[in-house]
Amino acid sequence: MSVETIKSLFKELWIPYAKVTSQAEKIRDLLHAQGETIVNDHVAFRSFDLGPYPIQTLAQPFLELGYKATGRYDFKQKKLDAISFSHPSHEVPRVFISQLRVKELPDQAQAILKTLIAQIPGAQTQAAIRSELSWPPIEKASYLELAKVSEYAAWLSVFGLRVNHFTVSVNALKRFPELESLNSFLQAQGFRLNGAPDHSIKGNPQCGLAQSSTVADTIPWSFPDGELDLPSCYYEFAKRFVKAGESELFDGFVTQSADKIFESTDRKHHSA
Ligand code: NI
């Protein structure tokens, strides 16, 4: 499978993501205007461990394109598992897929999710990752109930299996070769960063990866039973390092950092 085929897949994946993430287009345009070429470090998907699209199923299209697993991660507090994948060519983005351990949620949230999951048609992975939503829209009351116990579940119930975030590779930037300078530039342009002002950078050179992310856009959303402004998707920025004793850039992810980055879609950041 040629690298060009994979690149065209990522162009398709950008469409449903950008549709609810206008800041990503704006930041991309701003960086282009600065003369930068944007390279994607990784994209991330969210899913449920129950139903037709657990990690192993969502990963299948990427495995068929030659991707290999590079790490497994456990987010105890958020009740998530994740696996990361890289392509041996290193010319296309890494893929990070997480899944919610539905049975660890309280009974009421489980009941909402099991009803939703029962309506997901299976065996359509290629379509599901390119689509805006693969199941009937959830009701506002159910969304709010999920948000009480899992921001991840609430987000996923509304936005589906589309990419949750794209990630700019800071290693590939010329004017902003460090997260500090990029973050300052973005903040000066009016973008809000997760954890700002003091904790916008997660990770460090020693662990091989430093990341920052915007706070997700807030968008008006129409549920079958009402309207609500809610957090959609965010844009992420990653700088990779060669760890001590290694010869190549770190290729995986750091659980402690990703744990904080997940919170970029939390409602606490948003006035709604
Ligand atoms: Ni990420």
Side-chain angles (χ1 to χ4, degrees):
M1 195 66 69
S2 83
V3 162
E4 289 312 311
T5 306
I6 304 175
K7 285 183 176 170
S8 64
L9 165 63
F10 282 93
K11 279 189 186 147
E12 287 181 62
L13 296 177
W14 174 266
I15 297 166
Y17 161 78
K19 189 168 179 187
V20 294
T21 322
S22 62
Q23 60 173 332
E25 300 261 9
K26 287 180 197 145
I27 291 171
R28 198 173 64 164
D29 291 347
L30 275 172
L31 291 175
H32 283 158
Q34 296 287 317
E36 298 287 8
T37 302
I38 295 181
V39 172
N40 265 313
D41 180 271
H42 67 273
V43 303
F45 293 96
R46 296 179 173 186
S47 194
F48 303 112
D49 65 344
L50 300 181
Y53 299 116
I55 291 172
Q56 289 300 347
T57 307
L58 276 188
Q60 204 55 40
F62 298 98
L63 296 173
E64 286 165 10
L65 290 166
Y67 276 76
K68 307 281 181 212
T70 52
R72 290 173 178 273
Y73 314 88
D74 175 12
F75 302 91
K76 279 198 176 57
Q77 210 188 346
K78 293 189 173 63
K79 305 173 175 58
L80 309 173
D81 304 305
I83 304 181
S84 59
F85 302 87
S86 285
H87 194 266
S89 71
H90 289 295
E91 290 177 42
V92 286
R94 297 166 188 82
V95 174
F96 183 90
I97 309 176
S98 60
Q99 64 183 13
L100 178 67
R101 297 192 290 256
V102 174
K103 286 177 180 160
E104 293 184 16
L105 292 184
D107 289 346
Q108 195 178 356
Q110 272 196 51
I112 292 169
L113 289 179
K114 284 178 181 169
T115 302
L116 183 155
I117 289 166
Q119 301 175 75
I120 306 178
Q124 299 176 20
T125 312
Q126 291 281 1
I129 58 173
R130 289 168 167 85
S131 69
E132 294 174 24
L133 190 65
S134 305
W135 47 82
I138 190 168
E139 304 230 317
K140 180 176 160 184
S142 299
Y143 168 84
L144 290 171
E145 191 61 41
L146 289 177
K148 283 187 208 161
V149 296
S150 169
E151 292 278 356
Y152 181 106
W155 184 92
L156 179 56
S157 72
V158 167
F159 293 105
L161 300 170
R162 80 180 82 203
V163 167
N164 168 267
H165 62 270
F166 276 73
T167 310
V168 174
S169 167
V170 177
N171 297 68
L173 298 180
K174 295 186 174 63
R175 286 189 66 144
F176 306 103
E178 303 298 336
L179 276 171
E180 286 83 354
S181 57
L182 178 63
N183 288 354
S184 299
F185 171 72
L186 294 173
Q187 287 175 305
Q189 299 290 329
F191 294 98
R192 288 171 65 204
L193 298 180
N194 175 349
D198 300 328
H199 303 287
S200 55
I201 297 177
K202 283 87 181 169
N204 51 51
Q206 290 72 39
C207 67
L209 177 62
Q211 294 159 271
S212 57
S213 62
T214 61
V215 169
D217 273 328
T218 299
I219 62 169
W221 197 258
S222 297
F223 292 88
D225 54 339
E227 309 274 321
L228 196 64
D229 285 344
L230 46 80
S232 56
C233 303
Y234 57 94
Y235 211 9
E236 190 174 306
F237 315 95
K239 171 107 187 204
R240 292 183 180 272
F241 302 89
V242 179
K243 287 169 79 168
E246 304 278 336
S247 57
E248 291 183 20
L249 285 178
F250 177 63
D251 200 28
F253 292 82
V254 178
T255 306
Q256 206 183 351
S257 304
D259 194 70
K260 292 274 169 275
I261 299 261
F262 273 119
E263 295 170 8
S264 304
T265 57
D266 281 10
R267 294 160 49 81
K268 70 182 179 196
H269 298 295
H270 302 263
S271 51

